[in-house]
């Protein structure tokens, strides 16, 4: 079981946040492991060192959203029910 789903806030709250908004010292764009599009949202999910859009993180078997926990087998992510099948 993977208990390390992390939601990252992509906006900084320190003094350099204005520079980030203006494009200076811009962090690299994260690419979604599910759809391979750039993640421009304020929040992104991190699972197994990969970045995901919230709507792209879903069970490989039933396509239900994975919001709190997920299970991994053979590089695929599953909900609890499908992992135990």
């Amino acid at each position: 079981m993977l208990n390390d789903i992390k939601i990252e806030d992509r906006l900084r709250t320190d003094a350099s946040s204005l520079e980030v908004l203006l494009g200076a010292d811009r962090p690299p764009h994260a690419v979604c492991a599910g759809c391979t599009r750039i993640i421009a949202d304020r929040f992104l999910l991190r699972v197994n060192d990969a970045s995901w859009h919230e709507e792209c993180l879903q069970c490989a078997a039933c396509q239900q959203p994975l919001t709190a926990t997920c299970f991994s087998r053979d590089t695929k992510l599953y909900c609890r029910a499908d992992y135990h099948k």
Side-chain angles (χ1 to χ4, degrees):
M1 178 173 75
L2 303 171
N3 284 323
D4 63 342
I5 295 177
K6 298 175 184 163
I7 299 174
E8 293 185 2
D9 187 342
R10 305 216 2 122
L11 293 180
R12 297 182 187 181
T13 57
D14 59 12
S16 66
S17 57
L18 180 58
E19 291 176 355
V20 170
L21 291 174
L22 295 174
D25 189 35
R26 204 160 72 189
H29 290 289
V31 176
C32 178
C35 68
T36 66
R37 291 179 292 145
I38 291 174
I39 301 173
D41 304 338
R42 180 175 177 185
F43 295 101
L44 60 89
L45 299 174
R46 298 277 299 164
V47 179
N48 285 351
D49 295 323
S51 300
W52 297 79
H53 288 110
E54 195 172 358
E55 63 272 10
C56 292
L57 188 63
Q58 57 187 354
C59 176
C62 69
Q63 286 71 47
Q64 291 298 311
L66 300 172
T67 57
T69 62
C70 61
F71 296 78
S72 176
R73 180 187 312 129
D74 300 327
T75 69
K76 294 183 180 177
L77 301 175
Y78 298 94
C79 64
R80 179 184 302 271
D82 287 321
Y83 179 79
H84 290 296
K85 286 184 180 178

